[in-house]
Amino acid sequence: MQPLIDSFGRQIENLRISITDRCNFRCRYCMPEEMMQWVPRDEILTYEEVERLARLFVRLGIRDIRITGGEPTVRKDLPYLISRLHMIDDLESLSITTNGFRLKALAKPLAEAGLTRINVSLDSLVPEHFAYITRRNALNAVMEGLEELEEYPAISPIKLNCVGIRGFTEREVVAFAELARRKPYVVRFIEFMPLDADGIWREENVLTGREILDMINEAMPVPLVPIPTDPASTSRVYRFADGNGEVGFINPVSEPFCATCNRIRLTAEGMLRTCLFSVRETDLRLPLRDGATDEELEHIIRAAIWQKELKHRINEGEFFQRANRTMSQIGG
Ligand code: SAM
Ligand code: SF4
């Protein structure tokens, strides 16, 4: 089988599938407080449609699938979908990204369904700060969900994603580093990207990975040392020199990794996006519902991937064009 390849020679192996644009949080860097326009339910891919596309993508060379949203846990029967995708031969990694709010109830069924990897978003360890950034008073529920996850070692590692926002995140960087030493969690800081609904992103609000790394090294008794990672990996991973605790940095703004990007995304309504910052997308739902064969879908997918964007232009001033959707509508 020909690999999935774009016109710059990048081989695509990683697919993020959004299963809903809805969410029970309203994070300020992602969604507006209200007035969100939801995709009508009949336009959202059914689990059967998701599975059919996932199987096809894996046959074409995708090895890593992450289920995301919106908030994937607000969609009914998520463990059922996981159990179906878990059975796909040749899929090497199946994971979800969640805000953690429903994990206390879902950790067990997700583990039983075969989930082995998870990313939980957590931007603050202080209840008031958490409530400010997510617009929900829910820190306790997320921390209980994380505790529950620890009961299922098959789901490992537990990665925590924290968006680095200047003026907000600095005061908790050290607390997150201490958490990474105290708990079996890999803490990862993600640079704030211009994918928020309210248009509040400014370059000067991006707290860079480098700055956070320096803050940690200055405050902690043990320094962080880099761990070699796969070149296609988005994150730079460090371990404390005494071997106790891991911290990662995803730096799409200050250190773009477009040259090795092997990722594509499928939105909840079945639009294929070849870059987070795409301004065009390819409809897979229409042909799927019109009865297209796998060969016909393959042709559409290969043509879309061939046109994958060279890079984002966040740092190119007037050349930067905001994506036509927010992070929650794309599937981060
Ligand atoms: N609701 C789930 C969650 O929050 O984990 C999954 C979807 S969310 C869109 C996926 C990831 O995107 C989260 O880790 C979130 O922090 C991140 N994200 C959302 N908006 C972002 C932005 N403007 N810049 C950087 N990361 C962002
Ligand atoms: Fe919801 Fe995730 Fe966006 Fe927060 S980041 S509003 S939890 S989709």
Side-chain angles (χ1 to χ4, degrees):
M1 177 69 70
Q2 277 272 94
L4 281 175
I5 204 153
D6 74 7
S7 63
F8 301 100
R10 292 170 297 191
Q11 187 170 329
I12 309 305
E13 296 194 329
N14 184 308
L15 170 67
R16 307 222 164 152
I17 303 179
S18 170
I19 56 167
T20 180
D21 61 329
R22 293 167 199 242
C23 187
N24 42 7
F25 285 11
R26 293 289 181 276
C27 303
R28 289 173 189 269
Y29 50 74
C30 181
M31 276 190 163
E33 185 162 19
E34 45 195 28
M35 305 288 282
M36 194 73 189
Q37 294 286 323
W38 307 117
V39 176
R41 285 185 200 274
D42 62 343
E43 291 179 19
I44 302 272
L45 295 186
T46 65
Y47 281 167
E48 287 65 34
E49 289 169 331
V50 170
E51 185 185 344
R52 169 150 180 228
L53 287 176
R55 283 187 181 278
L56 175 60
F57 273 111
V58 172
R59 202 151 67 242
L60 298 179
I62 292 293
R63 291 290 168 266
D64 182 331
I65 291 183
R66 171 173 298 278
I67 300 297
T68 180
E71 173 50 38
T73 61
V74 303
R75 182 145 171 196
K76 214 166 153 244
D77 298 332
L78 174 63
Y80 167 75
L81 176 69
I82 297 298
S83 70
R84 298 293 307 176
L85 301 184
H86 175 62
M87 288 192 297
I88 302 179
D89 287 339
D90 296 330
L91 182 59
E92 289 165 11
S93 172
L94 175 62
S95 53
I96 67 166
T97 300
T98 172
N99 62 28
F101 183 70
R102 299 204 57 219
L103 272 183
K104 191 170 181 193
L106 281 174
K108 183 168 191 260
L110 285 171
E112 285 171 355
L115 188 75
T116 53
R117 287 161 171 261
I118 196 160
N119 287 14
V120 181
S121 299
L122 184 60
D123 300 306
S124 171
L125 300 167
V126 177
E128 301 77 52
H129 302 169
F130 183 97
Y132 171 79
I133 200 80
T134 62
R135 299 184 176 113
R136 294 292 181 270
N137 194 356
L139 178 61
N140 208 21
V142 176
M143 297 313 282
E144 283 180 7
L146 286 171
E147 292 281 333
E148 179 68 13
L149 260 186
E150 287 180 49
E151 301 294 315
Y152 303 94
I155 305 182
S156 163
I158 299 172
K159 292 184 181 170
L160 300 188
N161 289 350
C162 173
V163 178
I165 302 174
R166 192 177 305 286
F168 180 82
T169 310
E170 294 93 326
R171 57 194 168 185
E172 294 195 51
V173 162
V174 175
F176 272 109
E178 284 164 350
L179 183 73
R181 286 175 70 68
R182 200 169 63 243
K183 288 285 204 175
Y185 309 151
V186 178
V187 171
R188 305 177 339 147
F189 293 95
I190 307 177
E191 288 177 351
F192 181 23
M193 291 180 279
L195 290 164
D196 56 305
D198 292 335
I200 55 169
W201 184 88
R202 299 283 175 278
E203 201 169 345
E204 55 271 25
N205 297 339
V206 179
L207 187 63
T208 66
R210 181 80 240 173
E211 291 172 277
I212 295 174
L213 175 65
D214 289 347
M215 282 178 213
I216 295 176
N217 275 334
E218 208 163 287
M220 300 295 283
V222 191
L224 282 169
V225 289
I227 308 175
T229 39
D230 171 357
S233 166
T234 52
S235 76
R236 293 171 179 265
V237 191
Y238 291 73
R239 183 173 293 136
F240 284 100
D242 62 0
N244 182 14
E246 253 178 63
V247 179
F249 299 91
I250 301 171
N251 302 338
V253 180
S254 67
E255 297 176 70
F257 33 76
C258 307
T260 55
C261 177
N262 67 354
R263 243 153 264 113
I264 52 173
R265 292 179 156 81
L266 186 66
T267 70
E269 69 268 52
M271 296 287 174
L272 184 63
R273 294 177 62 91
T274 46
C275 175
L276 258 181
F277 295 91
S278 288
V279 286
R280 64 177 156 67
E281 37 193 42
T282 301
D283 190 348
L284 296 184
R285 187 191 65 210
L286 189 68
L288 191 68
R289 292 191 177 169
D290 267 358
T293 62
D294 278 4
E295 289 65 36
E296 286 163 342
L297 288 168
E298 175 181 345
H299 184 75
I300 297 169
I301 290 167
R302 285 193 188 279
I305 287 177
W306 185 253
Q307 306 233 351
K308 181 173 160 67
E309 296 77 351
L310 173 63
K311 58 177 182 171
H312 69 62
R313 294 171 178 267
I314 302 177
N315 302 314
E316 295 181 23
E318 60 187 292
F319 293 108
F320 173 64
Q321 203 181 348
R322 281 184 74 102
N324 51 355
R325 293 170 180 261
T326 65
M327 193 67 139
S328 66
Q329 297 165 322
I330 296 170

